[in-house]
């Protein structure tokens, strides 16, 4: 199966989900999305950063500089409380949407 | 709420810690790339290959940065600052290029700002302090007279009363007239502008007197009114030093002594086209002083202008219909005493409500028309300037192709690039606008003196409307000059541009640049043709034989200010004045005169045996002069003789007629000895003794205007106390000596005034002088701009074609061949412009016709000269680059890239 492009707006949801486990830096998020989706999702690595900064501006995640594995400084992102609420809401919405779409597809 | 706060915090940080944030972002992205590369290295790739892969999967790094910055929300401001910095750096790096553009735009914008100020004044602006100008109108009447439609804005006092009484749709009428009259007493007496106004004139404005009060209805009451005066601010400062104690003092205005009751605020002009008056006086008091108690019924004295304020909700058409009815009623009332005027229906009497601005109304002068043309011309100059600048920017954009391609490849979006180039042209336009305002401020003083008096001239830089206009013009200029190059840069094949840069193997000239150049040449041709036509018109005007030597004559007169002299005393005064003037050294001849060119004309009814309907044959001006009249004026006698000392009061009545008059009345028959009856068909014959050359007394253009001359001794009543004084030397030098000498002869409060006769005629010549000056200035400017444009285009071409030309030379082309090749390409463009511009000028010539003076707007000489000038300029502009092209060394040219 060839990799598919992300539908508009879903990247934010995926980032929030990835960060719900633990704080991560940008590259780790990109790696995680890649692995967890079993390489089906094609996320251009560059497009991650505008999305991260947008989420930060909206106060859904916050960023902090910390030391990475080999002691280099990296920018770690973590969910805020608002971010958690947003993740829950968006996950619900997403599930409703996919169920509905699946229903339509089955019935038709 | 919390989200909004967070947003604000982020944005503030982004704004004030921009560099730090950029740094962080850079580090963040670098960290990502390193991690990705590490991953590939661990998988066994070489470090170089790993880094390449990491970059590939990351995408364009600059693009990511831009996008991330966009997210910060300050992007508009931030990129603007960045673009401005970038553009400023680029522009200061090439000072000559930049200065050239700013200067070009400055000239174009400056010319427009200056002209706009004038046209705005003449056509659009109403006085600042006018209340609700949209409901105010100037009142014009129209009617048939001798089968021709006449439009008149001067109405008699009873007509004003009739209108005010009869019309329902008008809230109020205000009547006014501005006159030149004597103000002051004794040595302080001066001829000044005074506005005679009805009491409801002041309430048209929001203005309040700074001292005292304006006059009111009880001051302006029928029939005598009160002898009061309101002073103009400027006059009050100049004459009374701004003393608030002037209230209650007296001032002689015209014939009567008046009490000062108020001072108008600074800048208060009223509805004047001719500048700020020295004072305002009530209509009734002035009319009574001039014509006695009979004036409220005197329909023959038409001297007032009227403005009307419509009632709310009444349309212009309704108000006009209503006023026309009122006019008919008034006409019938007038017909009771003047049955000769016919019925209002047969005369098609009607009222028109025109714009407040006189120059937009049905009687607009040629000045306003010329000013409108010049504004059009200055817009064309601006277009040419824009074309020039666009061309320069284009050539720069082409030579920056590689730079632009590199930036595109680095991920800068095309939109951003276009924005950047537009920023550059905005900076240039704004700099040009500021320069232009400086030019306009400095140059328009001269311009405005053509049209306005000193106290009216407002500096360009402090006039809000002009500034607004300049601002809009600047934005338009920025878009015009920036768009073409910006779009050109945003287009195009990236890979090819990167490979070859601006040094392509084959030579290709940008089509946009060629179009711009032809456009410039075309417009230049049009302007130069206009300039040529106006210059020839002006030369015709100046060389035009008026029928007298205006430059050699001083006009002097006595203002009696109501001193009543019996005929004997008046004749004696005339005699004393003439003798006194003759005593002044340098004066050669002196003559009395009843009519004065372009100032006042006398006329009488004429009856000629065997000739019907004389009034239809032209307008006949009566002149009465002393025995030296023709020698004084320099008017030539073509046949017969002039009158002289022998033509006395009791001797046979004689008359000299003008050449045109002789032909209008008797066609080819010999006029000498013919009989003319003057004033009444029962009057005794006056015999024609001579024919004089035609003279121009009222207009420069009306050929159906004739003059006949009577000896002053046979005029019937004393001639007005006015003299023509012929002098040797400069007329201006004699004005003061003559005035001072004549003042000694003045009785009572009368005073003497003098001026060169030319001063009276200048206003009639003014529009051509102005037109010629401005067309030549702007045409010349256009030509210079077009020449610069052509030069830069060809020079650029030559630089682009160096290789090709080198090949040609190497293959044996002579230097002459190369020069010819380069020059012909430039001249070809200009020839296209000549054809297009010539066609355009021919097509537009019918609108020029009315502004020419004895000049065809399709004059082949003008078109020929313009063609030659433009070709010469084309050759000159392309010769330099062509020579450089011919000197190309084939070796270096071929090796260079």
């Amino acid at each position: 199966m060839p990799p598919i492009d992300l539908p508009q707006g879903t990247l934010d949801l995926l980032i929030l989900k990835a960060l719900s486990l633990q704080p991560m830096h940008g590259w780790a998020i990109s790696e995680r999305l890649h692995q967890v989706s079993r390489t089906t999702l094609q996320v251009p690595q560059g497009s991650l950063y505008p999305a991260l900064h947008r989420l930060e501006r909206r106060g859904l995640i916050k960023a902090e500089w910390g030391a990475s594995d080999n002691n280099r400084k990296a920018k770690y992102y973590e969910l805020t409380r608002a971010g958690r609420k947003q993740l829950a809401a968006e996950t619900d919405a997403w599930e409703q949407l996919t169920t509905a779409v699946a229903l339509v597809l089955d019935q038709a | 709420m919390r989200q909004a706060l967070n947003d604000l915090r982020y944005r503030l940080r982004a704004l004030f810690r921009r560099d730090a944030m950029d740094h962080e972002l850079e580090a963040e992205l670098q960290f990502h790339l390193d991690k990705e590369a590490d991953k590939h290295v661990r998988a066994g790739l070489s470090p170089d290959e790993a880094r390449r892969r990491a970059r590939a999967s990351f995408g364009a790094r600059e693009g990511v940065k831009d996008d991330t910055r966009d997210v910060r929300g300050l992007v508009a401001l931030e990129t603007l600052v960045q673009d401005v910095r970038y553009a400023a750096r680029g522009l200061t790096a090439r000072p000559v290029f930049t200065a050239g553009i700013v200067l070009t735009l400055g000239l174009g914008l400056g010319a427009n700002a200056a002209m706009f100020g004038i046209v705005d004044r003449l056509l659009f602006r109403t006085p600042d302090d006018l209340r609700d100008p949209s409901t105010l109108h100037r009142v014009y009447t129209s009617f048939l007279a001798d089968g021709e439609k006449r439009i008149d804005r001067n109405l008699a006092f009873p007509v004003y009363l009739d209108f005010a009484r009869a019309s329902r749709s008008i809230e109020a009428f205000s009547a006014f007239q501005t006159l030149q009259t004597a103000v002051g007493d004794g040595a302080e007496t001066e001829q000044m502008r005074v506005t005679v106004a009805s009491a409801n004139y002041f309430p048209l404005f929001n203005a309040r007197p700074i001292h005292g009060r304006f006059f009111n209805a009880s001051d302006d009451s029928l029939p005598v009114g009160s002898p009061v005066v309101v002073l103009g601010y400027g006059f009050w400062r100049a004459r009374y030093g701004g003393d608030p104690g002037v209230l209650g003092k007296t001032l002689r205005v015209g014939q009567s002594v008046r009490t000062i009751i108020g001072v108008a605020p600074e800048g208060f002009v009223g509805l004047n086209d001719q500048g700020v008056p020295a004072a305002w006086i009530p209509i009734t008091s002035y009319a009574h002083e001039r014509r006695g108690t009979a004036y409220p019924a005197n329909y023959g004295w038409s001297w007032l202008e009227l403005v009307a304020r419509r009632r709310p909700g009444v349309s212009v058409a309704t108000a006009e219909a209503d006023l026309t009815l009122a006019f008919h009623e008034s006409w019938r009332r007038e017909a009771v005493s003047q049955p000769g005027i016919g019925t209002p229906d047969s005369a098609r009497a009607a009222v028109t409500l025109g714009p407040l601005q006189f120059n937009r109304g049905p009687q607009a002068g040629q000045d306003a028309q010329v000013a409108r043309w010049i504004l059009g011309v200055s817009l064309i100059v601006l277009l040419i300037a824009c074309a020039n600048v666009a061309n320069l920017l284009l050539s720069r954009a082409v030579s920056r192709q590689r730079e632009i391609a590199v930036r595109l490849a680095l991920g800068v979006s095309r939109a951003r690039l276009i924005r950047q180039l537009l920023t550059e042209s905005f900076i240039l336009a704004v700099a040009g606008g500021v320069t232009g305002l400086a030019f306009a401020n400095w140059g328009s003083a001269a311009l405005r003196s053509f049209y306005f008096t000193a106290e009216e001239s407002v500096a360009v830089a402090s006039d809000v409307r002009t500034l607004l206009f300049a601002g809009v013009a600047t934005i338009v200029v920025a878009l015009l000059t920036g768009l073409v190059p910006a779009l050109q840069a945003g287009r195009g094949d990236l890979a090819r541009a990167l490979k070859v840069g601006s040094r392509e193997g084959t030579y290709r000239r940008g089509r946009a640049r060629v179009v711009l150049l032809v456009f410039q040449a075309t417009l230049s041709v049009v302007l130069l043709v206009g300039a040529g036509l106006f210059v020839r018109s002006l030369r015709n005007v100046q060389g035009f034989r008026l029928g007298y030597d205006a430059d050699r004559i001083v006009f002097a007169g006595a203002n009696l200010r109501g001193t009543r002299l019996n005929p004997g005393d008046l004749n004696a005064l005339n005699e004393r004045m003439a003798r006194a003037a003759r005593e002044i050294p340098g004066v050669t001849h002196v003559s009395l005169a009843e009519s004065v060119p372009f100032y006042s004309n006398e006329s009488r009814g004429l009856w000629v045996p065997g000739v019907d309907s004389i009034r239809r044959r032209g307008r006949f001006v009566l002149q009465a002069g002393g025995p030296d009249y023709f020698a004084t004026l320099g008017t030539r006698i073509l046949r017969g003789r002039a009158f002289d000392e022998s033509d006395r009061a009791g001797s046979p009545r004689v008359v000299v007629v003008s050449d045109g008059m002789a032909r209008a009345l008797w066609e080819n028959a010999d006029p000498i000895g013919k009989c003319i009856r003057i004033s009444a068909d029962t009057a005794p014959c006056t015999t024609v003794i001579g024919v004089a050359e035609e003279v121009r007394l009222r207009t420069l253009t009306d050929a159906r205007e004739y003059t006949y001359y009577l000896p002053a001794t046979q005029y019937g009543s004393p001639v007005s106390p006015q003299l023509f004084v012929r002098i040797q030397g400069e007329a201006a030098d004699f004005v003061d000596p003559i005035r001072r000498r004549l003042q000694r002869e003045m009785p009572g409060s009368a005073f003497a005034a003098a001026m060169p006769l030319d001063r009276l005629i200048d206003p009639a010549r003014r529009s051509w002088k102005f037109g010629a000056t401005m067309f030549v200035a702007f045409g010349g400017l256009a030509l210079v701009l077009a020449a610069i444009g052509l030069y830069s285009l060809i020079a650029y071409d030559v630089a682009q074609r160096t290789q090709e030309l080198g090949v040609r030379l190497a293959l044996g082309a002579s230097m002459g061949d190369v020069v010819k090749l380069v020059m012909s390409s430039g001249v070809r463009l200009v020839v296209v412009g000549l054809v297009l511009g010539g066609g355009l000028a021919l097509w537009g010539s019918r609108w020029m016709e009315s502004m020419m003076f004895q000049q065809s707007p399709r004059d082949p000489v003008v078109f020929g000269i313009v063609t030659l000038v433009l070709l010469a300029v084309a050759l000159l502009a392309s010769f330099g680059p062509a020579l450089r092209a011919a000197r190309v060394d084939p070796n270096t040219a071929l090796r260079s890239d």
Side-chain angles (χ1 to χ4, degrees):
Chain A
M1 197 160 100
I4 56 170
D5 287 333
L6 276 180
Q8 192 72 38
T10 42
L11 182 59
D12 287 7
L13 179 56
L14 297 184
I15 292 172
L16 292 178
K17 181 69 189 168
L19 288 176
S20 68
L21 307 172
Q22 61 178 74
M24 275 184 236
H25 49 66
W27 181 76
I29 298 172
S30 134
E31 279 297 295
R32 176 152 186 91
L33 293 183
H34 199 61
Q35 287 160 10
V36 173
S37 72
R38 300 194 196 89
T39 72
T40 31
L41 288 184
Q42 177 78 3
V43 182
Q45 295 177 9
S47 67
L48 201 60
Y49 288 89
L52 280 170
H53 283 247
R54 188 166 49 239
L55 290 170
E56 186 188 353
R57 200 185 96 197
R58 290 170 60 197
L60 301 178
I61 59 179
K62 58 184 177 188
E64 210 171 310
W65 287 87
S68 82
D69 31 2
N70 50 4
N71 232 1
R72 270 191 68 170
K73 277 186 80 174
K75 197 176 178 188
Y76 284 89
Y77 294 93
E78 84 181 279
L79 275 192
T80 62
R81 191 159 352 138
R84 274 182 208 289
K85 262 196 246 165
Q86 181 76 11
L87 175 61
E90 279 194 27
T91 315
D92 282 355
W94 178 259
E95 275 164 3
Q96 277 174 22
L97 177 69
T98 46
T99 325
V101 172
L103 263 173
V104 173
L105 289 178
D106 286 350
Q107 299 289 311
Chain B
M1 185 64 209
R2 269 196 51 168
Q3 230 181 7
L5 258 176
N6 200 68
D7 196 282
L8 187 69
R9 200 166 51 223
Y10 185 96
R11 281 173 189 243
L12 285 177
R13 191 165 157 250
L15 181 60
F16 294 111
R17 306 211 45 235
R18 196 171 62 92
D19 288 344
M21 282 185 87
D22 273 353
H23 237 83
E24 278 182 22
L25 181 61
E26 182 63 43
E28 190 179 8
L29 297 187
Q30 191 58 48
F31 175 78
H32 182 113
L33 286 169
D34 291 348
K35 289 292 280 184
E36 185 75 10
D38 282 353
K39 185 180 84 181
H40 292 308
V41 168
R42 279 201 300 277
L45 290 178
S46 72
D48 276 353
E49 180 62 9
R51 269 199 293 280
R52 200 192 62 74
R53 281 249 195 122
R55 278 203 301 272
S57 55
F58 189 78
R61 187 161 163 180
E62 290 301 313
V64 167
K65 273 185 171 166
D66 273 354
D67 289 349
T68 311
R69 279 194 207 104
D70 282 358
V71 165
R72 287 184 197 160
L74 275 171
V75 70
L77 187 67
E78 198 187 292
T79 49
L80 180 70
V81 171
Q82 223 175 46
D83 287 349
V84 168
R85 270 195 207 154
Y86 178 82
R89 243 197 336 264
L91 291 175
T92 44
R94 305 180 55 168
V96 177
F97 171 85
T98 307
I101 289 181
V102 168
L103 207 68
T104 307
L105 290 180
L107 287 173
L109 284 167
N112 277 277
M115 279 316 298
F116 173 81
I118 287 174
V119 173
D120 184 39
R121 269 298 177 98
L122 286 177
L123 297 179
F124 302 116
R125 179 184 300 234
T126 51
D128 294 334
D129 40 14
L130 201 58
R131 281 199 300 119
D132 194 10
S134 61
T135 58
L136 270 183
H137 298 273
R138 219 175 249 270
V139 177
Y140 294 90
T141 58
S142 66
F143 51 88
L144 291 180
D146 297 330
E148 274 177 69
K149 186 178 175 180
R150 290 254 180 90
I151 294 179
D152 202 348
R153 70 176 190 287
N154 287 321
L155 302 175
F157 190 78
V159 176
Y160 157 61
L161 294 181
D162 291 343
F163 277 9
R165 199 166 33 230
S167 61
R168 284 168 226 297
S169 50
I170 300 299
E171 201 170 281
F173 288 97
S174 304
F176 68 100
Q177 184 57 268
T178 299
L179 320 143
Q180 288 279 345
T181 190
V183 175
D185 258 319
E188 290 213 315
T189 309
E190 246 182 291
Q191 191 89 347
M192 301 189 99
R193 265 190 300 274
V194 172
T195 294
V196 181
S198 57
N200 52 13
Y201 181 76
F202 293 105
L204 294 175
F205 305 88
N206 286 316
R208 293 273 153 271
I210 54 166
H211 293 297
R213 59 180 182 93
F214 290 141
F215 48 79
N216 55 33
S218 68
D219 297 312
D220 188 35
S221 60
L222 281 170
V224 185
S226 332
V228 294
V229 57
V230 172
L231 302 185
Y233 183 86
F235 176 71
W236 173 62
R237 300 291 308 210
R239 182 67 65 91
Y240 297 98
D243 173 19
V246 291
L247 299 182
K249 287 190 178 168
T250 58
L251 173 70
R252 189 188 288 271
V253 180
Q255 298 166 19
S256 53
V257 175
R258 292 167 178 276
T259 308
I260 299 169
I261 58 164
V263 178
E266 186 171 12
F268 183 74
V269 187
L271 290 172
N272 277 302
D273 302 304
Q274 313 100 322
V276 185
W280 288 266
I281 57 178
I283 285 192
T284 51
S285 68
Y286 176 79
H288 180 260
E289 139 189 337
R290 288 293 304 274
R291 300 279 169 123
T293 46
Y295 76 92
N298 184 347
Y299 281 92
W301 185 29
S302 297
W303 62 291
L304 289 170
E305 294 187 45
L306 236 59
V307 289
R309 192 184 286 285
R310 270 181 296 133
R311 279 189 198 285
V314 174
S315 74
V316 174
T318 312
E320 281 180 341
D322 181 34
L323 277 176
T324 297
L325 278 180
F327 187 36
H328 282 195
E329 220 168 288
S330 170
W331 187 287
R332 279 189 280 270
R333 216 166 282 148
E334 180 182 357
V336 173
S337 57
Q338 289 274 324
I341 62 171
T343 66
D345 294 303
S346 69
R348 299 216 207 115
V351 172
T352 314
L353 293 179
L356 214 50
Q357 299 88 341
F358 169 69
N359 278 304
R360 265 168 71 196
Q363 294 182 308
Q366 178 143 358
D367 287 353
Q369 199 187 356
V370 171
R372 235 177 296 188
W373 273 81
I374 304 287
L375 180 66
V377 165
S378 64
L379 282 175
I380 293 181
V381 170
L382 184 60
L383 278 182
I384 294 178
C386 284
N388 229 1
V389 170
N391 227 336
L392 283 170
L393 289 177
L394 252 181
S395 71
R396 196 155 100 96
V398 172
S399 59
R400 270 171 29 173
Q401 241 171 29
R402 205 188 301 218
E403 174 202 332
I404 287 167
V406 168
R407 304 189 61 204
L408 279 172
L410 285 175
V412 174
S413 72
R414 282 177 201 269
R416 177 76 199 282
L417 205 67
I418 289 177
R419 214 157 54 206
Q420 219 160 54
L421 289 170
L422 275 179
T423 308
E424 194 177 81
S425 57
F426 259 98
I427 291 178
L428 288 170
V430 168
V434 171
T435 316
L437 282 177
F439 281 148
N441 219 12
W442 164 72
S444 70
L447 267 181
R448 285 168 165 256
S449 66
F450 271 108
Y451 282 105
F452 306 115
T453 53
E455 59 275 43
E456 267 186 305
S457 303
V458 174
V460 170
S462 56
D463 180 41
V464 179
R465 287 164 69 112
T466 305
L467 288 180
L468 220 63
F469 169 83
V472 172
T474 301
I475 292 171
V476 172
V477 161
L479 290 175
L480 281 181
T481 54
L483 266 185
V484 179
L487 291 180
Q488 195 102 354
R491 226 173 36 203
D493 179 5
L494 221 158
R496 206 171 118 241
L498 270 180
K499 255 184 280 162
V500 298
S502 61
R503 282 283 178 106
E504 297 166 69
T506 52
Y507 154 74
R508 189 170 50 88
R509 178 193 272 169
R511 184 182 301 158
R513 307 197 61 207
V514 171
V515 170
L516 283 174
L517 196 89
V518 170
F519 176 71
Q520 271 183 302
T522 306
L523 293 182
S524 304
V525 169
V526 174
L527 289 196
L528 287 176
V529 167
L533 292 174
F534 259 99
V535 167
R536 287 190 55 121
S537 278
L538 179 64
R539 280 190 46 193
N540 292 344
V541 168
Q542 284 171 336
F544 183 63
R545 170 84 188 149
L546 293 163
Y548 45 88
D549 309 321
D551 54 336
R552 285 307 190 64
I553 298 165
V554 173
F555 164 58
N559 186 330
L560 295 180
R561 309 190 80 182
T563 307
R564 305 220 185 270
L565 297 179
N566 62 44
D569 289 345
L570 191 53
N571 275 331
L573 171 66
N574 283 345
E575 198 42 53
R576 280 207 313 278
M577 282 170 62
R579 209 170 31 226
R582 238 175 248 122
E583 286 169 5
I584 298 169
V587 170
T588 58
H589 297 90
V590 176
S591 171
L592 288 167
E594 184 65 19
S595 292
V596 180
F598 299 86
Y599 180 69
S600 74
N601 291 294
E602 198 53 43
S603 69
R604 297 280 158 89
L606 293 182
W607 284 264
V608 175
V611 181
D612 296 333
S613 55
I614 285 196
R615 285 179 71 178
R616 300 234 170 132
R617 299 198 177 206
R619 185 191 277 266
F620 301 92
V621 175
L622 164 63
Q623 176 64 294
D628 268 353
Y629 181 84
F630 292 96
T632 307
L633 273 287
T635 303
R636 291 190 281 259
I637 298 293
L638 303 177
R639 310 190 48 193
R641 68 172 181 93
F643 44 75
D644 54 36
E645 306 280 359
S646 67
D647 300 298
R648 277 185 292 270
S651 58
R653 295 162 174 276
V654 294
V655 61
V656 173
V657 299
S658 74
D659 188 31
M661 177 162 170
R663 259 176 286 140
L665 295 183
W666 299 290
E667 278 144 34
N668 296 322
D670 184 0
I672 307 289
K674 295 279 189 203
C675 163
I676 297 178
R677 295 178 204 279
I678 299 168
S679 297
D681 58 356
T682 52
C685 262
T686 305
T687 310
V688 177
I689 52 164
V691 176
E693 67 177 316
E694 203 55 69
V695 297
R696 298 266 72 94
L697 288 186
R698 289 183 60 250
T699 67
L700 291 174
T701 45
D702 186 358
R704 280 167 30 96
E705 178 190 296
Y706 310 115
T707 311
Y708 58 103
Y709 304 85
L710 301 179
T713 46
Q714 296 181 354
Y715 183 52
S717 52
V719 175
S720 307
Q722 349 184 81
L723 298 179
F724 287 138
V725 182
R726 187 181 184 90
I727 50 88
Q728 277 175 324
E730 282 292 314
D733 299 341
F734 283 84
V735 167
D736 231 32
I738 291 175
R739 190 185 60 74
R740 275 203 310 264
R741 179 65 192 82
L742 292 184
Q743 183 65 46
R744 303 209 319 248
E745 309 296 332
M746 294 297 123
S749 64
F751 75 102
M755 68 174 81
L757 189 52
D758 255 339
R759 272 248 321 262
L760 291 174
I761 304 161
D762 275 341
R765 295 172 173 149
R766 182 171 73 170
S767 65
W768 287 288
K769 201 166 174 176
F770 183 62
T773 315
M774 296 313 292
F775 258 99
V776 166
F778 287 161
L781 194 58
L783 187 67
V784 170
L785 290 176
I788 293 173
L790 184 66
Y791 173 83
S792 71
L793 181 82
I794 292 176
Y796 173 77
D797 275 359
V798 166
Q800 292 276 292
R801 294 170 79 176
T802 309
Q803 267 183 314
E804 177 213 324
L805 296 173
V807 172
R808 282 176 190 266
L809 285 167
L811 290 178
S814 72
M815 278 171 69
D817 291 337
V818 171
V819 169
K820 221 186 296 167
L821 178 78
V822 172
M823 289 185 68
S824 72
S825 75
V827 171
R828 239 190 332 252
L829 292 182
V830 170
V831 169
V832 175
L834 267 173
V835 172
L836 290 177
L840 206 61
L842 277 179
W843 176 73
S845 63
R846 54 188 141 151
W847 291 292
M848 285 283 274
E849 194 118 45
S850 66
M851 287 188 298
M852 298 288 102
F853 187 81
Q854 299 181 340
Q855 173 67 45
S856 159
R858 287 170 283 279
D859 184 8
V861 177
V862 169
F863 278 77
I865 290 177
V866 169
T867 307
L868 288 181
V869 166
L870 223 73
L871 284 178
V873 166
L875 290 175
L876 220 67
S878 49
F879 185 68
L883 209 63
R884 209 173 320 135
R887 295 217 184 103
V888 162
D889 176 6
N891 276 322
T892 27
L894 288 175
R895 238 184 276 138
S896 70
D897 203 47

